[in-house]
Amino acid sequence: MDIADEFNLLVLEDCAQSHGASIQSRKAGSWGDAGAFSFYPGKNLGALGDAGGITTNDEELMSVVTALRNYGSHTKYENRYKGVNSRLDEMQAAMLRVKLNYLDGETSRRKQIAQYYNQHIDNSLVLKQPYVDSAENHVFHLYVIQVENRADFVAYLESRGVHTMVHYPIAPHKQQAYPELGHLSLPVTEKIHRQVVSLPMGPTMTDEQVASVVEVVNSYVLRA
Ligand SMILES: Cc1ncc(COP(=O)(O)O)c(C=O)c1O
């Protein structure tokens, strides 16, 4: 924010994975000029279908985005902007209002699981685990580690009943959608995309399931 202030930049926060996260007791979504939250069902605060929200303290921005989600219209059938139909359905909003009451509890459970993983995963083939600053509030939408030979690691875990996912396999500059960026060489980014793997994480996991993930990860050895 200091840099943005110095150069007069807008800061837009991607809060899709950070519901309730905070730095210096200040929540994600309240730092920048605006924050975009995803309420996709799998997110920490998820609706029963696709949904999202924007936070801002800027009244003019609020007025514009409120119209943009509604055909660019403030007044029925008058289109001030070229907008889209992206309103938050009222049924989804009602669900989210109820689920919001459970967010802090579910976040605590996510943190507890992450702490257990951090303390108990012990395998030299796991190159990196998430860094946790205990003074800050990381909400662990995902628990992402890095491993060298990911395909083999993933196959081993799968064979032992532990499903993993990769967030995300292809870096933005290597996506087909961005041929104009394809020439870039970003070795650190590309290495991360080759090595990341997300272990099971969610507030409904039992202690037994969490311990079993650790046991399987720790038993992984390099295979031919
Ligand atoms: C970091 C991040 N940004 C943006 C998005 C997009 O959210 P949505 O699917 O609600 O548009 C996601 C969800 O996949 C995400 O994880």
Side-chain angles (χ1 to χ4, degrees), residues 19 39 45-46 93-105:
H19 314 72
F39 304 131
L45 178 60
M95 290 293 173
L96 288 164
R97 277 183 76 172
V98 175
K99 290 188 73 185
L100 184 57
N101 297 322
Y102 297 90
L103 179 63
D104 287 347

Side-chain angles (χ1 to χ4, degrees), residues 14-17 36-40 43 50-52 141-142 168:
D14 181 344
C15 303
Q17 301 189 3
F37 284 85
S38 170
F39 304 131
Y40 175 78
K43 292 295 195 279
D50 270 309
H141 172 60
L142 303 171
Y168 297 91

Side-chain angles (χ1 to χ4, degrees), residues 120-177:
H120 293 88
I121 288 176
D122 182 15
N123 186 330
S124 57
L125 299 171
V126 174
L127 306 174
K128 223 171 201 176
Q129 290 173 247
Y131 170 74
V132 183
D133 182 338
S134 55
E136 306 292 3
N137 190 30
H138 184 324
V139 297
F140 287 99
H141 172 60
L142 303 171
Y143 182 92
V144 182
I145 60 173
Q146 291 187 43
V147 291
E148 190 117 30
N149 45 338
R150 181 172 66 195
D152 190 56
F153 178 80
V154 165
Y156 173 74
L157 263 62
E158 195 74 38
S159 76
R160 296 280 316 272
V162 176
H163 185 58
T164 56
M165 290 180 77
V166 173
H167 301 93
Y168 297 91
I170 305 173
H173 66 292
K174 294 294 178 197
Q175 295 284 356
Q176 221 182 330

